[in-house]
């Protein structure tokens, strides 16, 4: 019987789901899958892109763990594609590869002053508070008034993690350095800016409701933002999610803290709608001093148009949470405009000719851009896997497809890779660190410590 030796680069949900779907698919050949991950631990953005106070979303990890723990997928962690292993190596040892590397950079925003000191991409802050091993251990939280650009769930995560009191994170897996950093935070006001209205936001009701439940944080919304046009009224009436979001926001309008009147909390979280960022003001030292935005209005079709009215909010730091962006991979075509690997239904296309590149596939955010939830990732993987099965005639013909070839290659190159058994060791170690304080776990942050614990050294 023919055997498919498949490499998957990226051990987040996209890569793990693709492996699981292929193993369960109807096919006329055997399958052997190796999963490569540049971090010492699996699960990608579920581990490093979800705020620590969101244990419900962390539940996805349990489903991913079940797939890996079946034992029919090998994991090679702490292996960097392009450095420790290359596309030529994969062609030598596999019939095909799926790239499932996600999107971890911030989308850029081209407005004057965006390069100011204390102007950050949200992804870097998220990586810091999630204990990502490859970012600095400290984060500057010395600004009293902070802005967040964006109206999606990441923007709300960032705003919540800026406004929340550090003590309220002690029940979570928040790393020690993050807790200490947040405890010393100077933040008093967090301003969230969205260029459209309350009925057009991209976040979910659950994320929004959580903001209003923060201890000692007043929610501030502005009455002028709720003068709905017909398109907004229709959205509220016809879409259950929009209806719930509207209900939450309307309830905040009745609170005494609204419009800064009568609030008693030590911190405030302001939601500004109909606000299009125009310029980041700098002080003499080149640091963020404020955000100039144009007041927008409904265009009648659920969008926004400018009014020409400019406003300014004084700030000392700014975070842009307007979307993630993919990163290029050595030797693999890349669409710089959209931040994805060019592909047709997951079959990777050569950049110049648009012809299919045999043996190379993509799934997840690097395939379609950073949109959609976990459910989309599964349907995405099914489409890619279907093509791999149907493309059997054009698979690569590897020189050495043996299972032993990859460990031998990594050993020869001095790569200290981690495997599934190693992840179990690290997992148990993190859980044991949390046990004395009755916490689910405390994340190990330094990469070398993660590797040492995983390898039992």
């Amino acid at each position: 019987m023919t055997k498919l030796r498949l490499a998957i680069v990226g051990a987040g949900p996209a890569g793990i789901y693709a492996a699981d779907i292929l193993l369960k698919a109807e096919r006329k050949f055997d399958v052997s899958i190796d999963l490569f991950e540049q971090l010492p631990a699996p699960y990608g953005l579920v581990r490093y892109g979800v705020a620590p106070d969101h244990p419900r979303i962390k539940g996805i990890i349990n489903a991913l763990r079940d797939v890996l723990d079946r034992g029919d997928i090998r994991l090679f962690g702490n292996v960097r594609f392009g450095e420790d292993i290359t596309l030529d190596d994969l062609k030598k040892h596999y019939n095909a590869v799926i790239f499932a590397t996600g999107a971890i950079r911030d989308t850029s925003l081209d407005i004057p002053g965006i390069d100011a000191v204390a102007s950050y991409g949200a992804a870097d802050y998220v990586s810091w508070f999630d204990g990502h091993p490859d970012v600095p251990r400290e984060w500057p939280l010395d600004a009293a008034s902070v802005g967040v650009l964006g109206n999606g769930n990441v923007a709300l995560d960032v705003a919540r993690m800026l406004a929340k009191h550090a003590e309220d994170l002690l029940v979570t897996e928040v790393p020690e350095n993050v807790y200490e950093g947040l405890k010393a935070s100077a933040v008093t006001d967090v301003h969230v800016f969205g260029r459209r209205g309350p009925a057009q936001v991209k976040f979910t009701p659950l994320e929004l409701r959580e903001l209003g439940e923060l201890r000692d944080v007043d929610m501030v919304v502005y009455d002028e933002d709720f003068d709905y046009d017909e398109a907004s009224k229709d959205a509220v009436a016809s879409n259950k999610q929009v209806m719930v979001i509207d209900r939450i926001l309307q309830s905040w309008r009745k609170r005494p803290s609204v419009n800064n009147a009568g609030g008693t909390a030590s911190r405030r979280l302001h939601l500004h709608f109909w606000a299009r960022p125009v310029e980041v003001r700098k002080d003499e030292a080149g640091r963020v001093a404020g955000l100039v935005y144009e007041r927008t209005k409904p265009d009648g079709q659920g969008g926004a148009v400018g009014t020409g009215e400019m406003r300014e909010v004084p700030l000392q730091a700014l975070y842009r949470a307007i979307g993630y962006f993919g990163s290029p991979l050595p030797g693999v075509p890349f669409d710089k405009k959209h931040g994805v690997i060019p592909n047709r239904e997951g079959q990777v296309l050569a950049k110049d000719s648009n012809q299919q590149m045999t043996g190379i596939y993509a799934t997840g955010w690097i395939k379609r851009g950073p949109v959609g939830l976990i459910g989309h990732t599964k349907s995405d993987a099914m489409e890619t896997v279907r093509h791999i099965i149907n493309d059997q005639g054009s698979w690569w013909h590897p020189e050495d497809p043996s299972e032993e070839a990859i460990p031998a290659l990594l050993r020869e190159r001095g790569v200290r890779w981690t495997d599934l058994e190693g992840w179990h060791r690290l997992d148990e170690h993190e859980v044991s660190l949390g046990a004395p304080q009755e916490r689910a776990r405390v994340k190990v942050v330094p990469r070398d410590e993660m590797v040492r614990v995983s390898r039992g050294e």
Side-chain angles (χ1 to χ4, degrees):
M1 195 182 201
T2 313
K3 185 171 190 177
L4 168 64
R5 283 278 289 135
L6 177 69
I8 299 178
V9 178
I16 293 173
Y17 285 140
D20 186 41
I21 287 164
L22 178 58
L23 286 164
K24 290 175 177 172
E26 207 173 289
R27 48 193 159 72
K28 295 186 173 71
F29 50 81
D30 284 337
V31 175
S32 160
I33 300 176
D34 288 346
L35 206 52
F36 293 94
E37 170 56 53
Q38 66 162 343
L39 292 165
Y43 309 141
L45 275 183
V46 183
R47 180 172 162 96
Y48 289 114
V50 176
D53 59 348
H54 267 185
R56 283 180 301 276
I57 300 177
K58 298 281 183 186
I60 297 162
I61 283 182
N62 295 333
L64 300 176
R65 179 186 285 132
D66 289 345
V67 174
L68 289 184
D69 284 358
R70 273 202 320 256
D72 49 6
I73 302 164
R74 286 199 305 182
L75 175 67
F76 293 90
N78 200 39
V79 176
R80 293 179 192 272
F81 176 78
E83 292 177 34
D84 302 322
I85 197 155
T86 66
L87 189 60
D88 285 341
D89 294 327
L90 298 182
K91 285 180 178 174
K92 203 170 176 179
H93 301 291
Y94 297 93
N95 301 101
V97 57
I98 300 177
F99 288 100
T101 49
I104 54 168
R105 288 186 298 156
D106 283 285
T107 298
S108 57
L109 179 64
D110 188 16
I111 60 171
I114 197 69
D115 59 345
V117 177
S119 170
Y120 308 110
D124 293 332
Y125 180 57
V126 172
S127 292
W128 174 74
F129 68 57
D130 266 331
H132 194 293
D134 298 339
V135 300
R137 301 284 173 270
E138 282 77 42
W139 188 271
L141 290 164
D142 51 352
S145 191
V146 181
V148 179
L149 305 180
N151 262 176
N153 281 345
V154 174
L156 292 200
D157 261 2
V158 167
R160 193 180 68 255
M161 287 293 290
L162 285 164
K164 194 167 189 166
H165 292 277
E167 297 72 46
D168 298 336
L169 286 165
L170 278 176
V171 293
T172 73
E173 61 181 45
V174 65
E176 195 59 32
N177 66 301
V178 176
Y179 167 69
E180 292 297 337
L182 292 170
K183 195 165 74 165
S185 170
V187 170
T188 59
D189 289 81
V190 179
H191 297 265
V192 182
F193 300 91
R195 58 190 176 81
R196 294 192 294 172
Q200 289 82 34
V201 294
K202 294 284 189 220
F203 39 72
T204 50
L206 181 65
E207 294 272 351
L208 184 64
R209 190 178 287 119
E210 283 177 334
L211 288 187
E213 295 165 357
L214 294 177
R215 181 183 65 82
D216 190 33
V217 178
D218 278 334
M219 295 305 303
V220 183
V221 291
Y222 299 88
D223 287 338
E224 64 176 345
D225 290 341
F226 293 89
D227 186 12
Y228 287 169
D229 69 331
E230 289 308 312
S232 295
K233 287 175 188 170
D234 289 347
V236 172
S238 62
N239 184 310
K240 191 169 182 217
Q241 183 159 305
V242 179
M243 190 188 301
V244 175
I245 285 170
D246 178 61
R247 198 177 298 148
I248 295 165
L249 292 169
Q250 297 293 354
S251 74
W252 292 349
R253 290 178 74 187
K254 299 180 179 77
R255 290 186 183 183
S257 57
V258 168
N259 298 333
N260 291 318
T264 56
S266 69
R267 292 180 178 177
R268 286 156 299 280
L269 212 161
H270 310 250
L271 297 182
H272 303 268
F273 299 102
W274 306 113
R276 184 181 70 84
V278 171
E279 181 186 353
V280 180
R281 286 261 199 261
K282 301 180 186 180
D283 63 15
E284 306 77 44
R287 186 186 169 111
V288 171
L291 178 74
V292 178
Y293 69 87
E294 179 183 17
R295 180 86 180 151
T296 59
K297 64 179 183 180
D299 65 359
Q301 280 126 34
V305 290
T307 63
E309 180 194 347
M310 298 296 170
R311 298 185 182 178
E312 184 171 347
V313 177
L315 304 169
Q316 295 89 51
L318 184 70
Y319 295 77
R320 65 179 191 281
I322 54 171
Y324 286 109
F325 203 75
S327 301
L329 297 159
V332 182
F334 187 68
D335 178 342
K336 285 181 188 164
K337 187 180 174 192
H338 300 103
V340 296
I341 294 173
N343 69 91
R344 189 185 299 115
E345 296 186 345
Q347 297 171 303
V348 173
L349 305 174
K351 200 147 181 249
D352 305 328
S353 64
N354 245 12
Q355 293 297 306
Q356 183 190 344
M357 294 183 75
T358 57
I360 308 180
Y361 301 85
T363 192
W365 281 5
I366 199 67
K367 169 185 173 184
R368 65 186 149 86
V371 287
L373 303 168
I374 293 294
H376 297 88
T377 304
K378 285 186 176 175
S379 52
D380 225 23
M382 286 169 99
E383 183 178 71
T384 298
V385 163
R386 189 176 70 245
H387 281 300
I388 290 174
I389 291 170
N390 294 338
D391 290 348
Q392 187 175 346
S394 61
W395 291 349
W396 296 332
H397 300 288
E399 282 172 42
D400 179 5
S402 68
E403 304 262 334
E404 303 76 42
I406 294 301
L409 179 72
L410 295 175
R411 260 194 304 272
E412 184 188 310
R413 290 180 181 170
V415 179
R416 295 170 70 225
W417 81 90
T418 60
D419 57 16
L420 190 57
E421 199 182 320
W423 162 238
H424 289 156
R425 274 195 211 102
L426 179 59
D427 189 29
E428 285 162 18
H429 179 68
E430 290 184 340
V431 169
S432 72
L433 291 177
Q437 294 106 39
E438 296 182 357
R439 296 165 66 184
R441 74 172 64 233
V442 174
K443 261 189 201 159
V444 173
V445 179
R447 183 184 278 262
D448 54 356
E449 190 182 339
M450 290 175 75
V451 172
R452 191 171 45 73
V453 172
S454 297
R455 290 172 64 91
E457 294 171 357

